[in-house]
Amino acid sequence: MHRARWGKSWIAGRILDAHPETPPVVVTDTVKNAIRIVALDQRARARGIRPNQTLSDARALVPDLDCHPADDEASRALLVKIAGWCERYTPLVALDTAPEVARDHGLFMDITGCAHLLGGEAALIADLEARLRAQGFHVRLCLADTPGAAWAMARYGQARIIAGGAHAEAVLPLTLSGLRLPPEMVASLGRVGLKTIGCIAGLPRAPLAARFGARLMQRLDQALGREAEAISPIMPVAELSTERRFAEPVTHQDEISHVIAALAAGIIEPLERRGLGLRNCRLKLFRVDGHVSLLDVQTARPLRDARMISRLFAERIAGLHDDLDAGFGFDLIRLDVVHADPFEGGQTEMMAHHAAGQGHDALVDRLGARLGLDRVQRFVLADTHIPERSFGRQPVAHLGAPGSGARRSAAGNAALAFSPDPQAPCEIITRPLILFDRPELMQTIAEVPDGPPLRFRWRNVSYEVARSEGPERIACEWWRDGRGARTRDYFRVEDRQGYRFWMFRHGLYGRETSEPAWYMHGLFA
Amino acid sequence: MSLSRLQTATDILKARTRAYEAQAYQAHRGMALGDGSEAQPLPLGASAVDHCLDGGLACGGLHEVRSPLARDIGAATGFALGLAARAIHTDRMGRSGIVWVSDPATRVDGGGLFPAGLAQYGLDPSSMTMVEPGDLQGAMWAADEAAGCAGLAALVFQIKGNPARFDITATRRLMLRARQSGVLALTLRQSGEEEASAAATRWRVNTKPSGADDTLERGVGAMRLLLTLERNRAGRTGQWLLAWNPRDRSFHHAAPHPASRTKPSAHPLDRLPASADRPGAPGQMGQVLDRRQDFGRAS
């Protein structure tokens, strides 16, 4: 992680491995009409600069201060990246962005049931801290039964691990700021002599709630474990997950493909046991330096074939615009099944569909994996007569396969499916094969008030109209386009050489406009 | 080993070689090989064209449809979609999927397929899968993948002009994959010149004025396409005036428009329909009666 990537976010308290003679780094922001220091590195601290000091005072102390304005966006982006990396320990990683606390944001991790994978709680904490320190972060960690207690102890206490059930006693001596309260509330509680959590824990609740609001009681209960507090993970929790850890980081693409194949093979058996087929799965590659690469693969119908899965990932990797940057290698590769659907049909039915459906679906999955899901589309109808709005395109992966009895309308909106209409092909063709996304303005000589065009100029070529049919009037959608919308009169026109066009007059002559414009909208075969 | 037995063995070998050669020749022409497992030719429905093609287009193979001018793209699309619709209509295995891969350069013109028009043309819009990669390389890869997918009825690969990257090697790869899978692979080349390719046939599509309609005096009649078979690896070339029937999903011969009937050639023997009115037509010097030996050569 480089400074360039994160902007000027030094709030996380990164230790600079810079030359000792480089100037101390501080981050400033406007607080109470003065530019004040909101974060600083250890060299600045060593030279007597304190947080909340005004910049002019700090400059008086240390003239060669390297100061940067605070960038909350960059800080948040950094925090999200760290959260993504922390998913190597548990899938439940949440951003702690309590509104009461202005800048002192952190992460919550729920490691219930995960600690034993790394050899216990102490080992997990030690591993987490060592790795983050190696990446250059200064971290404060605490493991406790409740998020509130861990929050308080990480910031205002010394303990790294609070034993199960002991969190209430542990947080009582801590300052009231540890309850994630607004600074004004802490200040006013301090004025009446209530300075630690223990002070208010023993007091009658009703007067406190009446005086300072229910929020105080809620935060106290959350810290002491009387009230449950849910954290909201930043990533959806996978239905199934399998991973490989490496003592020696892997860098070569061949090794990575091998690992993917092994992971995919390992995920088939649990899927079979649950009767599920994979619809969406995500590969997470944890690089040694803390970067996490995510590769998503979606399938058009539930899939349970390890070879197909690893092939889709091979296409996905091949479709990356820049190669998968392995850097110094990946030390953890994880395959998550983000979404799985019931696996329909038995083996025999599969074989029957092999010729018709299966090959087509597999093709769509491969194309989507390599080119991007939104580049493989199918038409959907919309309920309108305006030609360019009468259809849309939806990624096939969100629609389900054609011909499958249960067509999924996962999109949920006005995505009507086409019904094969036996009457649809007809002798008289009124709709063009090719429609322009935006109708193109042309210069036209036409009969007034509502006659067909006689001569027109489109894309710098003049055409003489030989035959024409129309008008076919399509009224505007006043509920959508508002009062000024105009009616369209569509004409089918053939010029002397035989080119067939679909064009319209925009606006009724005399009623809606005095000079109706003409637009080219489509080409017939 | 006596001489006679050696002779017999040599004869057997020769016979086998001949059989293989015949087989290869048949496969080259995309004809059915005795049993029905091989792809049947796809007849267009117009008798003269089918006769020229020995029964129809080779279904597992690459064919190129080009339109000389950008505004001819409507007619060329119509011909390509007509072939695709016929491929679905006549498919015995129930395959109904069409994959339409388009090079991003074709989007510059701002046109796209219109589902309502497709439905009237005799195609189910829900059978179309549109693939729009971000660059030509991705488009060529997608076309390769689709050509190799036996579950498809047809693949249309729309490109614009003559990109250098889409060369004879790329077309040969497409041709081979389509032949293996039995997919009708079509290259739809908008405003492109003739160039060497491995395609089995190359068609030029021009639009022609529609015929007079009895009911509507000035009305637009049924469409007419002037089809020029510019190149045919396994047979003759020719030029025909065709119309499309959406209900039957077949082409048929159209009567020439009375106004556009050209005067007969001064030299009755000077018949070279393929190069009749294309830019690189031979000059009027002398008479070329037969250039058939040129057609079989892979250029």
Side-chain angles (χ1 to χ4, degrees), chain A residues 175-196:
Chain A
T175 167
L176 268 180
S177 305
L179 285 184
R180 290 176 279 170
L181 299 171
E184 310 85 62
M185 195 190 286
V186 174
S188 57
L189 280 164
R191 276 198 294 278
V192 295
L194 302 172
K195 295 203 186 288
T196 65

Side-chain angles (χ1 to χ4, degrees), chain A residues 370-382:
Chain A
R370 171 109 166 220
L371 305 171
L373 291 174
D374 51 340
R375 294 200 181 271
V376 185
Q377 299 170 327
R378 198 162 281 161
F379 291 116
V380 288
L381 277 181

Side-chain angles (χ1 to χ4, degrees), chain B residues 227-249:
Chain B
L227 272 183
T228 311
L229 180 53
E230 291 182 326
R231 175 180 159 73
N232 184 3
R233 272 179 169 268
R236 288 161 296 156
T237 56
Q239 191 169 39
W240 305 275
L241 192 64
L242 293 191
W244 169 250
N245 184 342
R247 199 182 291 277
D248 302 340
R249 293 179 179 83

